[in-house]
C-alpha cells in the first residue's frame, strides 16, 4: 500500500496536534449550546473519531453519507446516500468534513439542511484546498490548508483505497494513470 505514496504531506503527530487544538477551540466556542456534529461519510470517520475525543462539552452526533467523486475529479453531482436520523430544528449544526475542495458538496449540503431550520450551520474540515474553490463556502475551522494535490489517508480515499493510512500522503501520479 505505502508504495503508492509519493510523500507524506502531514504526519500522524502533526494531525494529532492540530485536531486536538481544533477540538478545544470548538469546545470553547460552543459551550452551553449543545451542538450536533454531523459527520459526512465516509471520509470523516477517522477525523471525527479523533476530534470528538477533544470536544469536552455536551453535544450529540449524527452522520450523513454523500457521494460526489469518482477518481480524482468531481462529477459535480452530489447524491445523498444516507440522511440524518435526528431532528435538527433549532440546533447548532457542525458539519464535519474530511476535505473542502471545490466546495460543491458542502454548499449543496448546507442548502439542503438549511430548510430544516437549524439555529446555525458551521463547518469543520480536516483539510482545506482554497485554490480549488468553486462554490461560495468556507470552513469555520480547518486543521490544515493544503496545496492543490490529491491526497489520501486518515480516512481519505482514492477509489476506496488508502483510507487506513495513519498519515496524509500524496499519491504517485502513476496510480491515477493505471
Ligand atoms: P468538493 O465537493 O469538491 O469540495 O469535494 C469534497 C469531497 O471530495 C471530499 O469530501 C472528498 O471526499 C473528495 N476529495 C476532494 N479532494 C480530495 C483529495 O485530495 N483526496 C481524496 N478525496 C478528495
Ligand atoms: Mg471521498
Amino acid at each position: 500500500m505505502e508504495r503508492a505514496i509519493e510523500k507524506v504531506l502531514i504526519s500522524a503527530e502533526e494531525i494529532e496536534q492540530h485536531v486536538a487544538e481544533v477540538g478545544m477551540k470548538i469546545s470553547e466556542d460552543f459551550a452551553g449550546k449543545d451542538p450536533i456534529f454531523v459527520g459526512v461519510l465516509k471520509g470523516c470517520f477517522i477525523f471525527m473519531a479523533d476530534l470528538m475525543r477533544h470536544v469536552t462539552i455536551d453535544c450529540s452526533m449524527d452522520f450523513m453519507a454523500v457521494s460526489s467523486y469518482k477518481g480524482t475529479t468531481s462529477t459535480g453531482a452530489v447524491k445523498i446516500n444516507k440522511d440524518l436520523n435526528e431532528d435538527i430544528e433549532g440546533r447548532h449544526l457542525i458539519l464535519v468534513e474530511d476535505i473542502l475542495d471545490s466546495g460543491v458538496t458542502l454548499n449543496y449540503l448546507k442548502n439542503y439542511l438549511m430548510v430544516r431550520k437549524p439555529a446555525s450551520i458551521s463547518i469543520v474540515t480536516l483539510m482545506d484546498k482554497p485554490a480549488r474553490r468553486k462554490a461560495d463556502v468556507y470552513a469555520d475551522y480547518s486543521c490544515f490548508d493544503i496545496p492543490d494535490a490529491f491526497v489520501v489517508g486518515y480516512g481519505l480515499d482514492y477509489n476506496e483505497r488508502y483510507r487506513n493510512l495513519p498519515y496524509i500522503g500524496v499519491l504517485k501520479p502513476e496510480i491515477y494513470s493505471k
Side-chain angles (χ1 to χ4, degrees):
M1 176 173 67
E2 309 213 13
R3 273 177 306 180
I5 303 301
E6 188 164 83
K7 65 166 182 179
V8 176
L9 188 67
I10 312 170
S11 69
E13 292 74 24
E14 282 176 279
I15 297 173
E16 198 181 308
Q17 190 190 333
H18 286 224
V19 170
E21 283 167 14
V22 168
M24 288 186 269
K25 181 78 173 62
I26 293 175
S27 305
E28 282 170 27
D29 294 352
F30 285 85
K33 291 187 168 172
D34 188 26
I36 175 165
F37 289 83
V38 172
V40 185
L41 294 169
K42 302 174 198 169
C44 77
F45 82 107
I46 297 181
F47 172 46
M48 186 156 166
D50 284 344
L51 178 73
M52 296 318 297
R53 278 177 269 200
H54 295 281
V55 172
T56 52
I57 55 173
D58 281 335
C59 62
S60 58
M61 288 164 237
D62 202 349
F63 295 91
M64 291 185 78
V66 303
S67 47
S68 60
Y69 255 69
K70 280 209 168 61
T72 60
T73 49
S74 174
T75 58
V78 180
K79 186 167 157 253
I80 308 279
N81 298 320
K82 181 215 169 292
D83 208 325
L84 294 175
N85 297 330
E86 306 261 329
D87 184 7
I88 58 167
E89 188 171 342
R91 298 288 303 275
H92 292 280
L93 210 98
I94 304 176
L95 289 170
V96 184
E97 252 285 29
D98 53 357
I99 189 163
L100 190 46
D101 186 25
S102 72
V104 169
T105 310
L106 276 179
N107 195 42
Y108 179 90
L109 270 185
K110 263 185 109 168
N111 292 328
Y112 179 81
L113 294 171
M114 201 84 86
V115 181
R116 300 183 196 170
K117 301 188 170 62
S120 66
I121 303 183
S122 306
I123 292 173
V124 52
T125 188
L126 174 67
M127 287 177 284
D128 194 350
K129 282 189 205 170
R132 298 209 0 127
R133 199 60 34 80
K134 281 193 220 133
D136 184 22
V137 56
Y138 64 94
D140 299 277
Y141 305 91
S142 168
C143 301
F144 300 97
D145 279 1
I146 64 161
D148 180 11
F150 195 80
V151 293
V152 294
Y154 196 71
L156 288 95
D157 71 307
Y158 170 65
N159 287 348
E160 295 304 326
R161 303 288 162 172
Y162 314 112
R163 292 194 197 272
N164 51 325
L165 289 171
Y167 53 83
I168 303 287
V170 178
L171 261 195
K172 285 184 181 158
E174 67 227 48
I175 304 291
Y176 314 135
S177 44
K178 261 195 222 158

